[in-house]
Amino acid sequence: MKPTVLKDNRDFQRLYHKGKRSVSGLFAVYYRQNGTPDVRIGITAGKKLGCAVKRNRIRRQIREVLRLSSDSLNPGFDIVIVARTRAIGKAWQELQEDLLNLLRSGGLISRTV
């Protein structure tokens, strides 16, 4: 199942205020059940991370982790992934492990990836 994209600011705000969260040194993941069989994902990389090149790179890396694990995502969730400043410059393997551990801890991934 391919996830759809969260774009509306109100959806992001709802997750920040009413959703659950899992936090690590590299990412923060906010999630909430949405009552549909769809998975909707939003990615945030603020200006604290640096110039647009750095922000876009971390977003591409997050999307790639999600692409590789999209078959394992549990349906019916809205998810927002926030990149933190420590994620800039980290190795691909470290980013992947950290994000997958956060998704597992929130019960967003059904099987081992």
Side-chain angles (χ1 to χ4, degrees):
M1 165 190 273
K2 183 177 178 181
T4 58
V5 179
L6 272 178
K7 291 186 180 180
D8 291 339
N9 185 35
R10 64 190 163 112
D11 292 331
F12 280 80
Q13 294 302 320
R14 186 180 310 123
L15 281 171
Y16 293 147
H17 295 295
K18 295 184 178 181
K20 296 178 182 177
R21 67 179 168 189
S22 296
V23 180
S24 72
L26 304 180
F27 301 104
V29 176
Y30 296 85
Y31 55 95
R32 183 176 184 202
Q33 289 189 335
N34 61 19
T36 67
D38 299 331
V39 176
R40 300 188 312 165
I41 296 179
I43 300 171
T44 304
K47 288 192 175 185
K48 281 185 179 181
L49 295 176
C51 65
V53 173
K54 291 179 181 179
R55 295 193 308 268
N56 288 332
R57 179 178 173 85
I58 196 72
R59 277 194 285 262
R60 283 193 312 269
Q61 290 172 327
I62 292 169
R63 279 195 300 268
E64 181 63 12
V65 171
L66 293 171
R67 185 188 70 81
L68 293 173
S69 61
S70 64
D71 293 338
S72 301
L73 288 173
N74 287 332
F77 282 97
D78 287 345
I79 304 168
V80 170
I81 300 169
V82 180
R84 302 176 90 187
T85 55
R86 292 182 218 152
I88 297 297
K90 293 291 183 184
W92 161 251
Q93 188 66 29
E94 191 174 350
L95 292 172
Q96 185 179 22
E97 287 176 13
D98 193 64
L99 186 53
L100 289 176
N101 284 337
L102 283 177
L103 293 173
R104 276 188 210 103
S105 71
L108 303 172
I109 290 184
S110 58
R111 56 176 207 244
T112 307
V113 178

